[in-house]
Amino acid sequence: MSRKFSCNPKTIKDAINANLLPILTVSGVTGGVVLGVILRYSRDGPWSKREVMYVGYIGELFLRALKALIIPLIVSSLVSAIGSLDLSLSKKIGLRAVAYYMTTTVLAVVLGIILVVSIHPGKGSDEGITKAGEARSVYTPDLLMDLPRNLFPPNLIQACFETYKTVIVEPKIDENDTRIEEWKRKYNWTEGTLPPKSEWDIGSDHSRALNIMGLVSFATVLGLALSTLGAKGKPLLSFFQSLSDASMVITSWLIWISPIGILFLVASMMIEMEDFSVMLGQLGLYFGTVVLGIFIHGFLVLPALYTIFTRKLPFRFLANMTQAYITAFATASSSGTLPVTFQCLEEKNKIDPRVTRFVIPIGATINMDGTALYEAVAAIFIAQVRGMALTIGQVVAISITATAAAIGAAGIPQAGLVTMVMVLDVVGLPAEDMTLIIAVDWLLDRFRTMINVLGDSIGAGLVYELSKKELEQMNINANGDVERPSNEIAMDTVESSKM
Ligand code: ASP
């Protein structure tokens, strides 16, 4: 039956009520842009860092509140989701999710490569590109080996605030050092200069960032263990289920403050941002290539996959996620957006929490299509600027490392820029060349975070549709009684919290 459009004030009021949050959020973004532009052009000189901090203060508070939910949400939701499924179903859901993550990441990289090779934004010179910032000193094998290291955190408490990282330190050399002769022979090294980086000493350090990979891996294993324990595991499972539901309730409260938080985050971004003149010329073309790729991937390729596998049109699903995209854009962090992503998926798209709470924490950690696409485009763009002709082998190497770099990037602002070093390294470009693209990275980061979140969400929707029958089967207990699906129960909790 087709619904007739009516201008009845009651219908309009109902429509506004039903979409109040997206309306408020979009107003928040618009208000932020207007406020930011007014403040920025209200004076001649630039704004100091302190002044920008004052403007963004409310936004910062909102972001801190969101971040506070990351640990309780990911740990409790993974443990409770995996713990309540039987092992074979966990395996199926897990495999489906990983197959989706890998396929879409590779598709994103390939799309990026096709675009950057055909548009050719790097014209063979860095004229007009201002180098900004500093390159970081890292070594590709160390970056790659740190990934599994962080999967096995030796101390879970430490994993809540620190991530392991290998550092290479300048070797201390004294006259009797036996390495001196060898370096002279091998590298023609002269005393008093620095030895090649491969000969530097290896040290360990920690960065002050949540080791989300370690927590995800531990929670997954704990969930699996609880599901094999059966009745004995019930008390702990119930604890995590309650924690997970309570975190979702807090999220639903927080979400109503998000329009205000977003308003101030966007306003401070408008004041702080670099002059748009950097977008003119080559860097603008590079920016356009990444954004075009990201949008084709997020709004054509992924929805098409969704439709092919679920035989459903994706528009409603995508529209229901608006709140999550906007939060991703405003915070530039897919981990920070995690609570909102959950909320949109479970409350608006009615995806079973056993799926969302299983696949979303993992997706937010390893599935970053936007980042993967950007890594590939950026590396090839820099090679083009440097006038380097890449062989097919090198392009393949870029694709593989871009995928690894996206998996390794944390869901925090500009994490992709750090792992970019290994993509450059694989084609022999120096890490310093990263500085060529830093000027526009702050904005690109926001777009790629949006697509990272969108990719995770479509993944959850797709895995849910593919696992629907098995989940329903699970709801039919041994006596043939139909249990209530846990999403209904979770929804009740969230609903009642609003009253
Ligand atoms: N900021 C991105 C995210 O949180 C990661 C990146 O590409 O830098 O998903």
Side-chain angles (χ1 to χ4, degrees), residues 18 31 35-36 94 174 183 315 357 371 377 473 477:
L35 178 66
D174 59 44
W183 290 345
F315 308 114
R357 296 181 193 190
T371 306
V377 174
Q473 188 59 40
N477 65 18

Side-chain angles (χ1 to χ4, degrees), residues 94-231:
L95 284 177
R96 280 172 194 147
V98 171
Y100 167 85
Y101 297 153
M102 289 322 292
T103 318
T104 51
T105 306
V106 171
L107 282 178
V109 170
V110 172
L111 174 65
I113 292 178
I114 294 174
L115 287 177
V116 70
V117 169
S118 32
I119 298 176
H120 203 96
K123 293 197 193 72
S125 88
D126 60 5
E127 216 177 289
I129 301 181
T130 333
K131 293 187 187 182
E134 244 177 65
R136 286 154 237 236
S137 165
V138 252
Y139 210 48
T140 304
D142 296 330
L143 267 179
L144 285 174
M145 285 160 78
D146 281 349
L147 293 183
R149 280 192 185 112
N150 280 317
L151 269 181
F152 301 103
N155 181 335
L156 287 176
I157 308 288
Q158 186 188 31
C160 293
F161 54 89
E162 278 190 350
T163 305
Y164 179 87
K165 71 168 188 219
T166 303
V167 284
I168 44 174
V169 281
E170 211 183 301
K172 294 212 170 22
I173 315 164
D174 59 44
E175 295 137 32
N176 308 325
D177 204 313
T178 49
R179 294 173 296 183
I180 293 182
E181 285 312 309
E182 197 194 328
W183 290 345
K184 281 186 180 162
R185 194 166 30 84
K186 250 168 105 184
Y187 309 107
N188 249 341
W189 177 69
T190 38
E191 274 177 67
T193 60
L194 282 177
K197 282 213 170 145
S198 56
E199 299 294 341
W200 283 26
D201 292 336
I202 295 178
S204 63
D205 197 0
H206 288 88
S207 49
R208 285 184 55 200
L210 161 72
N211 175 8
I212 206 164
M213 272 211 184
L215 294 181
V216 162
S217 70
F218 179 76
T220 308
V221 176
L222 182 61
L224 288 173
L226 288 181
S227 86
T228 59
L229 271 182

Side-chain angles (χ1 to χ4, degrees), residues 6 22 40 46 53 74 100 103 112 165 174 211 214 220 246 269 278-279 291 327 402 432 454 469-470 489 491:
S6 122
R40 186 181 171 121
M53 182 270 285
I74 51 166
Y100 167 85
T103 318
K165 71 168 188 219
D174 59 44
N211 175 8
T220 308
M269 177 189 94
V278 295
M279 297 284 188
V291 171
T327 312
E432 292 73 49
L454 188 149
K469 280 211 183 80
E470 288 134 349
I489 299 166
M491 276 323 101

Side-chain angles (χ1 to χ4, degrees), residues 332-335 368 371 410-417 445 448-449 452:
S333 162
S334 32
S335 310
M368 298 199 182
T371 306
I412 54 172
Q414 298 201 319
L417 202 60
D445 186 23
R448 57 185 196 251
T449 310
N452 291 344

Side-chain angles (χ1 to χ4, degrees), residues 156-354:
L156 287 176
I157 308 288
Q158 186 188 31
C160 293
F161 54 89
E162 278 190 350
T163 305
Y164 179 87
K165 71 168 188 219
T166 303
V167 284
I168 44 174
V169 281
E170 211 183 301
K172 294 212 170 22
I173 315 164
D174 59 44
E175 295 137 32
N176 308 325
D177 204 313
T178 49
R179 294 173 296 183
I180 293 182
E181 285 312 309
E182 197 194 328
W183 290 345
K184 281 186 180 162
R185 194 166 30 84
K186 250 168 105 184
Y187 309 107
N188 249 341
W189 177 69
T190 38
E191 274 177 67
T193 60
L194 282 177
K197 282 213 170 145
S198 56
E199 299 294 341
W200 283 26
D201 292 336
I202 295 178
S204 63
D205 197 0
H206 288 88
S207 49
R208 285 184 55 200
L210 161 72
N211 175 8
I212 206 164
M213 272 211 184
L215 294 181
V216 162
S217 70
F218 179 76
T220 308
V221 176
L222 182 61
L224 288 173
L226 288 181
S227 86
T228 59
L229 271 182
K232 264 211 274 173
K234 268 266 173 303
L236 193 53
L237 191 56
S238 306
F239 164 80
F240 281 112
Q241 265 157 354
S242 296
L243 181 59
S244 165
D245 288 344
S247 310
M248 289 302 293
V249 172
I250 302 176
T251 305
S252 69
W253 292 336
L254 206 55
I255 263 173
W256 285 96
I257 317 173
S258 66
I260 302 173
I262 287 171
L263 186 146
F264 288 103
L265 283 175
V266 171
S268 65
M269 177 189 94
M270 297 300 296
I271 302 174
E272 200 180 20
M273 72 188 178
E274 302 270 336
D275 213 314
F276 268 114
S277 61
V278 295
M279 297 284 188
L280 301 174
Q282 249 172 301
L283 219 44
L285 210 52
Y286 153 74
F287 181 88
T289 311
V290 178
V291 171
L292 178 68
I294 276 177
F295 278 92
I296 295 180
H297 185 75
F299 293 104
L300 290 177
V301 179
L302 294 181
L305 278 180
Y306 177 85
T307 306
I308 293 168
F309 283 98
T310 65
R311 307 199 171 271
K312 283 187 177 169
L313 287 176
F315 308 114
R316 186 107 293 267
F317 185 94
L318 289 176
N320 281 341
M321 298 302 303
T322 312
Q323 185 81 22
Y325 313 140
I326 295 179
T327 312
F329 186 85
T331 60
S333 162
S334 32
S335 310
T337 311
L338 207 86
V340 186
T341 315
F342 270 124
Q343 188 75 9
C344 294
L345 281 169
E346 293 182 11
E347 236 195 302
K348 296 237 167 114
N349 278 325
K350 305 282 180 237
I351 307 289
D352 191 318
R354 286 170 294 180

Side-chain angles (χ1 to χ4, degrees), residues 410-462:
I412 54 172
Q414 298 201 319
L417 202 60
V418 183
T419 53
M420 177 80 212
V421 184
M422 67 191 199
V423 190
L424 292 179
D425 196 44
V426 81
V427 282
L429 286 164
E432 292 73 49
D433 275 0
M434 205 173 71
T435 51
L436 291 173
I437 52 168
I438 285 184
V440 291
D441 201 70
W442 65 273
L443 187 55
L444 267 188
D445 186 23
R446 291 166 190 269
F447 285 108
R448 57 185 196 251
T449 310
M450 262 172 81
I451 299 303
N452 291 344
V453 168
L454 188 149
D456 296 340
S457 313
I458 293 197
L462 218 144

